[in-house]
Amino acid sequence: MKIDVLSLFPDMFTGVFEQSILKKAKEKGVASYKVTNFRDFADNKHNKVDDYPYGGGAGMVLMPQPIFDAVDSLKQQVAPEAKPPRIILMTPQGDRYTQRHAEELAKEDHLIFLCGHYEGYDERIREQLVTDELSIGDYVLTGGELAAMVIIDSVVRLLPGALGNDVSAVTDSFSSGLLEHPQYTRPANFRGFKVPDVLLSGNHAKIEEWRKAESLRRTRERRPDLLEAYKEKPE
Ligand code: ADE
C-alpha cells in the first residue's frame, strides 16, 4: 500500500513511520510512506497556503490551489492504470472513524491523507477533491496530523504480512465486535493473585468457552453499545 500525507508539518511524522510495526511494514515492502509539504506547491510569491474567509469572520482558510496541485503531482507518480487513490480529509466534521473504516481502507492500494492545521478548508477541496472525510473522535486537535497517524497505524497493522502473527489482527478487540477477554502470563501466582484455574487446565474447549464468556461480560460492563450491535449482527 502506498501512503501519502499532505501536511504543513512533515517532521511530525518522522518518529511514527520509523518505529515498530510501521517501520517493519516498510522494510517488508508491505507499505510505503511519503509526507509532502503542500506549501511547496503554492504558486504565489510568499508560498502562502491560506487566506481570509470570503464574507469575513475569524480564522484563515486553506486555499484550494496548493492542495489540488500537490494531489495532482502525487497522482502523476503512479501508473495511469492504477486504482484511483482514496483522498482522505482529516476533520472533526468527518465520519467518526472505527475499526470498520480501517478494514475497508486496508483493501486499497493508495491512500492520500490531507491534514490541515488550525485553519478551515475551502469548501471546493471537500466537494471536488476528497473521497472521504474522517474524524477520530468528538474533540478538536490542533491539526489533522495526529489523526492521520492514528488511522495509518490502524490500517497498516491490518495489511497482510504487517504483523508477525496474522492471527492477532483478526482476533483482537473490535475486529470480532467484542472486547478482548483477560489475558495472563507467568507466574501462575503473583503476590498471591492467581491465574484462573481453567487457563492452567489444558482443556482447550473449556478455555475457549471461558474466553467467550469473559469477552461478553467485559463488553457488557464496559461497552454495552458494542454488545447491542454484536447481538444484531454476530460474526
Ligand atoms: N482535525 C482536528 N481535529 C480532528 C479530529 N478529531 N479528527 C480528525 N481530524 C481532526
Side-chain angles (χ1 to χ4, degrees):
M1 173 182 279
K2 191 174 163 67
I3 296 175
D4 276 301
V5 179
L6 292 181
S7 165
L8 296 172
F9 299 89
D11 290 348
M12 285 181 76
F13 291 85
T14 44
V16 171
F17 291 154
E18 287 304 323
Q19 304 286 324
S20 184
I21 301 289
L22 295 192
K23 180 183 186 192
K24 291 211 182 88
K26 185 179 81 180
E27 288 169 352
K28 291 186 201 162
V30 168
S32 67
Y33 320 107
K34 193 166 85 170
V35 189
T36 301
N37 190 335
F38 57 88
R39 193 180 295 284
D40 297 343
F41 289 82
D43 67 1
N44 56 78
K45 219 173 47 209
H46 299 291
N47 292 335
K48 237 163 65 97
V49 291
D50 55 8
D51 212 330
Y52 297 103
Y54 277 123
M60 300 291 272
V61 177
L62 286 168
M63 302 188 294
Q65 178 276 319
I67 292 178
F68 272 66
D69 283 356
V71 169
D72 283 347
S73 141
L74 296 178
K75 283 181 176 168
Q76 276 161 20
Q77 291 166 31
V78 296
E81 66 275 13
K83 191 174 169 196
R86 290 277 280 267
I87 304 173
I88 304 163
L89 186 79
M90 304 315 308
T91 166
Q93 299 178 18
D95 206 16
R96 183 123 46 101
Y97 187 69
T98 66
Q99 189 68 21
R100 300 287 92 85
H101 294 92
E103 287 161 6
E104 193 202 316
L105 293 177
K107 296 179 192 149
E108 298 288 336
D109 297 337
H110 187 191
L111 305 178
I112 300 178
F113 290 88
L114 234 154
C115 306
H117 222 89
Y118 323 116
E119 305 95 336
Y121 301 96
D122 184 287
E123 192 64 14
R124 289 161 292 187
I125 296 169
R126 288 198 152 87
E127 287 173 355
Q128 309 297 333
L129 192 65
V130 312
T131 58
D132 302 76
E133 295 189 32
L134 291 176
S135 161
I136 62 162
D138 290 344
Y139 41 82
V140 180
L141 302 164
T142 52
E145 285 79 5
L146 289 167
M149 289 179 212
V150 166
I151 294 179
I152 292 166
D153 184 278
S154 60
V155 169
V156 169
R157 65 186 289 287
L158 295 179
L159 300 178
L163 297 182
N165 169 8
D166 273 354
V167 182
S168 47
V170 283
T171 57
D172 56 14
S173 289
F174 295 110
S175 289
S176 68
L178 296 175
L179 299 183
E180 216 176 342
H181 53 75
Q183 299 269 29
Y184 295 88
T185 187
R186 271 191 273 265
N189 183 339
F190 176 67
R191 299 186 178 181
F193 301 107
K194 297 196 180 120
V195 172
D197 287 338
V198 59
L199 297 177
L200 310 176
S201 69
N203 182 334
H204 291 293
K206 276 257 171 307
I207 291 171
E208 270 321 298
E209 200 180 303
W210 180 86
R211 286 182 165 165
K212 184 69 193 283
E214 286 296 312
S215 196
L216 284 165
R217 185 173 66 81
R218 184 159 277 193
T219 311
R220 187 179 313 114
E221 282 172 9
R222 299 186 180 190
R223 293 293 304 274
D225 57 315
L226 289 180
L227 192 61
E228 283 313 307
Y230 178 81
K231 280 198 215 138
E232 279 161 29
K233 193 172 144 287
E235 300 206 0

